[in-house]
Amino acid sequence: MELQVKQRFTLPPAGSHMNGRSDVTGLSVWSTAKPLLRRLLRNTEFINKIKGTKQNENPVVRILELGAGCGLLGMGLAAATGGAAKVVLTDHEDSVGWLQQNVDLNHSSFYQGSVTVEPLSWGDPTHMTAIETAYNHNANMNSSHEDANSLQHFDYIVGSDLLYDPTFHAPLLETLQRFAIPNKTEIYLGYPPRSKSEEQFVCDAANYFDVETEPLDHDDGKAMLAFCRPR
């Protein structure tokens, strides 16, 4: 599997189509995206479970990536699962154009329509409702056997380097709860322990989820994995 990713490490020049951005957080691959992708791809049970759900060429499993940035993590999962998953890459509105460019750049690596891009600012009711409406409709069209109450939700939610700013913890938890199915959705969050912010998120998340943490890569203890399941 080979993916191409466009990155930017400085603000765009005045007059460019991306002028007006205040930061570059969504324009580069953050440190735990690659190790989290490698960890998930090595998990043969995880990959085979997704591949085994494909029915009549329609993807049944839904994967949501939060704060996707360049989209490496979600695109990698889409490419590895051979069209068995519908992968929705999300980020704030300033970043979705850049994210879509990366999806277009790699369109030959995954099945047509298996990767889509949506704006999502965590906790934004308009964004969350739009995603629920769009993917509830698609699920009804493709998977009549699914439980009607869970069609707008996701089987897997993934994200890398999302926990560094404690001011985002509450809206992130709200978003996770909105899209997760109790006793079904699995959430994989990779993060480097930069400060106590990440530890605080894990403590806060434990109020709503069953949470387990462990080194993301056992050969490198610097990055961590938080595995969460809603009760």
Side-chain angles (χ1 to χ4, degrees):
M1 178 180 65
E2 184 173 321
L3 297 173
Q4 301 178 65
V5 177
K6 294 174 63 176
Q7 301 185 78
R8 178 182 284 277
F9 300 98
T10 60
L11 287 172
S16 76
H17 73 287
M18 298 180 68
N19 184 240
R21 294 184 62 96
S22 59
D23 62 65
V24 293
T25 55
L27 305 184
S28 61
V29 177
W30 282 48
S31 63
T32 58
K34 290 181 181 179
L36 178 54
L37 177 58
R38 286 195 298 267
R39 171 69 176 266
L40 293 174
L41 295 184
R42 286 200 305 263
N43 186 339
T44 54
E45 182 180 355
F46 170 82
I47 296 298
N48 290 337
K49 185 162 51 174
I50 294 174
K51 287 183 175 181
T53 62
K54 191 174 181 181
Q55 297 183 352
N56 301 322
E57 300 305 313
N58 289 318
V60 174
V61 169
R62 292 176 299 281
I63 300 175
L64 175 68
E65 183 178 3
L66 301 178
C70 294
L72 176 67
L73 176 57
M75 290 192 299
L77 292 174
T81 53
K86 176 69 173 180
V87 180
V88 184
L89 308 178
T90 67
D91 213 318
H92 54 79
E93 289 180 300
D94 285 349
S95 294
V96 292
W98 189 259
L99 185 52
Q100 186 64 57
Q101 287 184 48
N102 276 305
V103 172
D104 294 342
L105 188 64
N106 293 281
H107 68 91
S108 62
S109 296
F110 28 77
Y111 282 66
Q112 182 177 3
S114 64
V115 179
T116 55
V117 174
E118 300 288 348
L120 176 58
S121 296
W122 302 334
D124 186 305
T126 301
H127 288 172
M128 292 192 291
T129 298
I131 291 173
E132 286 177 337
T133 301
Y135 295 98
N136 181 34
H137 171 74
N138 290 339
N140 271 304
M141 293 290 288
N142 293 335
S143 302
S144 59
H145 74 286
E146 291 184 283
D147 185 271
N149 293 323
S150 65
L151 288 175
Q152 72 271 35
H153 297 81
F154 290 85
D155 302 284
Y156 300 97
I157 301 175
V158 298
S160 61
D161 294 83
L162 306 182
L163 313 181
Y164 60 92
D165 188 340
T167 62
F168 293 141
H169 288 180
L172 175 55
L173 285 168
E174 179 183 352
T175 302
L176 291 172
Q177 291 177 82
R178 180 80 171 252
F179 290 119
I181 308 168
N183 302 312
K184 182 178 181 182
T185 301
E186 296 181 359
I187 302 169
Y188 296 87
L189 303 176
Y191 62 94
R194 298 185 184 91
S195 66
K196 293 190 176 182
S197 174
E198 292 84 6
E199 294 179 17
Q200 184 59 53
F201 176 85
V202 170
C203 291
D204 293 342
N207 293 319
Y208 312 98
F209 303 93
D210 293 326
V211 182
E212 300 174 18
T213 61
E214 61 180 87
L216 186 54
D217 184 339
H218 290 288
D219 295 327
D220 178 5
K222 295 180 181 178
M224 298 293 293
L225 170 68
F227 172 67
C228 311
R229 297 198 70 165
R231 301 186 186 100

